[in-house]
Each structure stands twice: as C-alpha cells, then as structure tokens.
Amino acid sequence: MALAAAPYEREDFRRVAGDALRPGGLALTEKALAACRFSPADRVLDLGCGPGLTLGRLAREGLFALGLDASEAFSAQAAAHGPALRGRAQALPLRDGCLDGVFCECVLSATGDAPASLSEIARVLRPGGLLALSDLYLRAGGPPGDGAAGCIAGAVPREVLMGQIAHAGFKPLFFEDHTRLLTELACRLTFALGSAKSVVAMITGRDPACAGGPRPRLGYCLLVAAKETS
C-alpha cells in the first residue's frame, strides 16, 4: 500500500523537521559554504528552495542569491528571503553559464530525473562553478519501490550518484557521510509519531506491512563538485 504524500508535504513531518525540511537543518549548508569559499556577490542558486531558509542564509553571506522551486506556495514563501522563481530542475529558466554556484539540498533525488537535472545544473554554471549537494542515498537493501515519494523516490547507491555527477561534467571535490543527521531526524519523528513503523511509512512512502523485499537502508551525504573547465 503506497502513501501518496511526500514527507515534506506532511504537517507532522514539517513540525519536526522545521523550515529546512531536511536532516540537519542548516548544518550542512554551513559546511558547504565553508568549503565553497564563494566571493562576495557571486551568483548562487538555491535549487528546490522550499520556504527559503537556505536562500536567506546565502543572502546573509553577501551572495547574489536566487531561489527556485516547483511549488508555487514555496516559491512565494521563499520570496520573503530573497528573489525566488517557480520552475523545474529539468528546465531551469536561466541562461548558460550565468551562475557561480548551485545549492541542491535534499532535492535531486526528488526531481524524478536526476541525470536531466544535473545536466541543467551544469548548463547554468560557469566552468569551475560549484555544486553543493546534500541528499539521501542507498547504503543497502532494496530500492524504495514504486510507491516511494519525495526525496526517497530517487535515492540511489553512492556509486550510481557519483557516476551521475561525473557524467554531467562535474569533478567531485569531496563526499562526506552524514547519516547521523538522518538518524537523529528519524528518532525525533519516532518520538512525535509514536512508533518506528510510522516513521518507516513516512520516510519510504510505503506501508512496511505491505511491502515485500528488503527495506532500503538509507544514508545521507554532503557532496561538493566543480564543473569541469574543458
């Protein structure tokens, strides 16, 4: 039995996860900012900006920050933190090579087409531009399945993710595992919802009592990559 709503669409998830709608809140955003070392007024896109928490943080860093989200409601909320557009990751409404950086936080796996989204990110970045990506990935077990929703739907093993990154024309600079942040969020959700089974159903998008095969064992990572210069 599949659950229709993506986790970030559920009010109980949003109460626990906060405005970041992802494990760790701004913790990995701060690590990525430190690693990227952008210059003042660099042009940086917050792709899948949600309510605009990262967008506001990028603006406070002195960057020229732009938010973009497929949700009309989220793009409107994000506009309180900086300029925000409505659009899809697979068809960014931006010209070639116009950005110095892209933040893509717990979004790539939810786009429905990660390779196409990465290709678009590469298109709008200048040579040497940086991609800061945090997302779920599969550590073990079976795939999430047809009923999966949100970020879970496109979670892939680390080697597949790295292959997608390379194929899009990026050179990975580092990869860090931050599964602890996912575990901490799952523990808070368990406390709020009253059972681990409820959390499994929310996070994987399927009823654990009805799903066959091995359950996916999920991890969470931070990856920074640079667009190849040639």
Side-chain angles (χ1 to χ4, degrees):
M1 177 180 176
L3 300 179
Y8 58 81
E9 295 173 330
R10 295 181 49 156
E11 185 60 32
D12 46 7
F13 177 86
R14 296 179 68 174
R15 281 198 304 269
V16 174
D19 287 342
L21 302 178
R22 60 183 181 270
L26 284 175
L28 298 190
T29 306
E30 297 292 351
K31 288 183 68 72
L33 273 172
C36 290
R37 297 182 180 179
F38 291 114
S39 298
D42 272 357
R43 298 157 297 176
V44 181
L45 173 68
D46 180 12
L47 177 58
C49 60
L53 194 67
T54 291
L55 177 61
R57 178 65 186 88
L58 297 176
R60 291 194 300 276
E61 191 72 9
L63 303 172
F64 182 81
L66 172 68
L68 184 141
D69 203 282
S71 163
E72 183 176 2
F74 276 155
S75 57
Q77 284 182 261
H81 301 276
L85 304 173
R86 187 180 181 190
R88 298 169 59 246
Q90 299 95 322
L92 297 175
L94 300 169
R95 61 181 174 81
D96 295 0
C98 67
L99 297 177
D100 300 293
V102 173
F103 276 69
C104 186
E105 298 173 305
C106 211
V107 169
L108 182 66
S109 57
T111 63
D113 192 341
S117 300
L118 286 168
S119 177
E120 273 292 273
I121 292 170
R123 179 184 66 79
V124 299
L125 278 171
R126 63 168 175 79
L130 297 173
L131 167 63
L133 174 74
S134 58
D135 216 327
L136 298 165
Y137 72 100
L138 289 179
R139 300 176 69 194
D146 293 338
C151 296
I152 305 298
V156 296
R158 173 179 172 175
E159 59 269 20
V160 174
L161 175 61
M162 300 304 284
Q164 293 172 342
I165 294 288
H167 184 74
F170 289 97
K171 179 181 179 181
L173 302 181
F174 71 81
F175 177 102
E176 292 182 349
D177 182 86
H178 290 278
T179 303
R180 175 183 59 82
L181 296 177
L182 179 63
T183 301
E184 289 175 355
L185 176 58
C187 289
R188 295 202 307 273
L189 287 168
T190 300
F191 183 80
L193 299 181
S195 75
K197 286 186 177 181
S198 296
V199 176
V200 170
M202 173 188 284
I203 298 252
T204 64
R206 58 184 189 175
D207 186 340
C210 301
R215 295 177 185 171
R217 185 182 173 198
L218 296 166
Y220 198 72
C221 67
L222 170 65
L223 183 152
V224 174
K227 180 179 174 180
E228 297 280 8
T229 56
S230 60

